[in-house]
Amino acid sequence: MKFFVDTADVDAIKELNDLGMVDGVTTNPSLILKAGRDITEVTREICELVDGPVSAEVVAEKAEDMIREGKILAKIADNIAVKVPLTWDGLKACRALSDEGHMVNVTLCFSPAQAILAAKAGATFISPFIGRLDDIHLDGIDLIADIREIYDNYGYETQILAASIRTVNHIIEVGKIGTDVITAPPAVIKSMVKHVLTDKGLEQFNADWAKTGQKIG
Ligand code: G3P
């Protein structure tokens, strides 16, 4: 399972990257706002830090404007994946940018039908949003399973990038289905380490060790 980090917080990316846990990064306009940084500057910094794909999102609505913005973003670094929304214009931009050799991440996917169109339009990544479906009482995990089944039926090479991940359980469930990539906030990735029995076991070991009166080294 490839790990992308869903943030534009350079320090948070660096911490995970130093452990070899970052296969790529995803950003979006909301994450750029949260980081409070200039999009070009922060994206360049992330691209210098991380070897894998770094998604940077266009904000235009018309295909020709998305293509223009996508080309500007792609100039930031060789590892940019241009992120376009799953609209008809977004699919046109996906086809054009992909034909020119750029990686394209088609985002805001909420149905298997949309995912089929993205694959047909040459997307490198499809980003189905799990958490936002859960928010409206639909099953985001089912969406990943449906897309996996359909993509495998036809050998589509578009990678499934499970997004809008809010919990460790989301990561486990999409891993069981066989998502290609997950993108999650740094805090969710770091919380994967937590287990109550690990904490309890460590507490016991420390207490027993103190009773031995010994030191290592
Ligand atoms: O990568 C898309 C993701 O950032 C959306 O997450 O939690 O805002 O639904 P969320």
Side-chain angles (χ1 to χ4, degrees):
M1 183 193 293
K2 283 186 250 175
F3 269 21
F4 287 6
V5 193
D6 199 27
T7 187
D9 178 339
V10 176
D11 289 339
I13 295 167
K14 192 166 182 336
E15 186 188 5
L16 291 168
N17 196 45
D18 287 348
L19 290 175
M21 290 185 184
V22 178
D23 300 305
V25 172
T26 50
T27 66
N28 61 38
S30 305
L31 292 171
I32 296 293
L33 173 69
K34 199 171 165 194
R37 302 272 314 270
D38 172 77
I39 183 171
T40 306
E41 190 186 284
V42 73
T43 306
R44 182 172 293 123
E45 220 172 290
I46 295 169
C47 288
E48 281 167 7
L49 203 60
V50 171
D51 291 333
V54 174
S55 290
E57 188 160 343
V58 302
V59 292
E61 288 182 17
K62 289 196 175 142
E64 64 197 65
D65 298 328
M66 287 187 206
I67 294 165
R68 188 183 57 79
E69 288 181 355
K71 286 179 183 174
I72 291 169
L73 292 171
K75 277 195 188 131
I76 294 173
D78 288 343
N79 54 336
I80 287 285
V82 179
K83 210 169 175 188
V84 301
L86 218 159
T87 58
W88 199 249
D89 279 79
L91 293 173
K92 284 184 188 171
C94 175
R95 171 48 67 199
L97 291 164
S98 161
D99 282 351
E100 285 194 21
H102 299 296
M103 289 187 282
V104 182
N105 176 358
V106 180
T107 189
L108 290 167
C109 170
F110 294 96
S111 79
Q114 290 179 318
I116 293 170
L117 291 179
K120 301 289 281 180
T124 316
F125 302 103
I126 181 70
S127 288
F129 276 31
I130 300 172
R132 292 192 194 184
L133 280 170
D134 290 355
D135 287 346
I136 58 163
H137 310 293
L138 293 173
D139 197 328
I141 302 297
D142 278 356
L143 174 59
I144 302 295
D146 288 346
I147 298 172
R148 178 78 284 158
E149 184 179 345
I150 294 167
Y151 277 14
D152 287 350
N153 281 347
Y154 297 98
Y156 290 145
E157 288 179 5
T158 300
Q159 295 180 52
I160 302 174
L161 199 177
S164 186
I165 281 186
R166 310 265 178 80
T167 66
V168 171
N169 212 39
H170 280 157
I171 297 174
I172 302 308
E173 290 306 315
V174 299
K176 279 155 62 179
I177 291 163
T179 191
D180 297 291
V181 192
I182 59 108
T183 189
V188 174
I189 292 176
K190 287 181 76 176
S191 71
M192 292 170 78
V193 77
K194 295 300 286 179
H195 198 289
V196 65
L197 291 179
T198 304
D199 295 343
K200 199 175 162 203
L202 197 55
E203 203 177 298
Q204 181 72 57
F205 287 155
N206 285 340
D208 289 345
W209 181 248
K211 286 180 204 159
T212 69
Q214 297 181 43
K215 277 194 177 145
I216 297 176

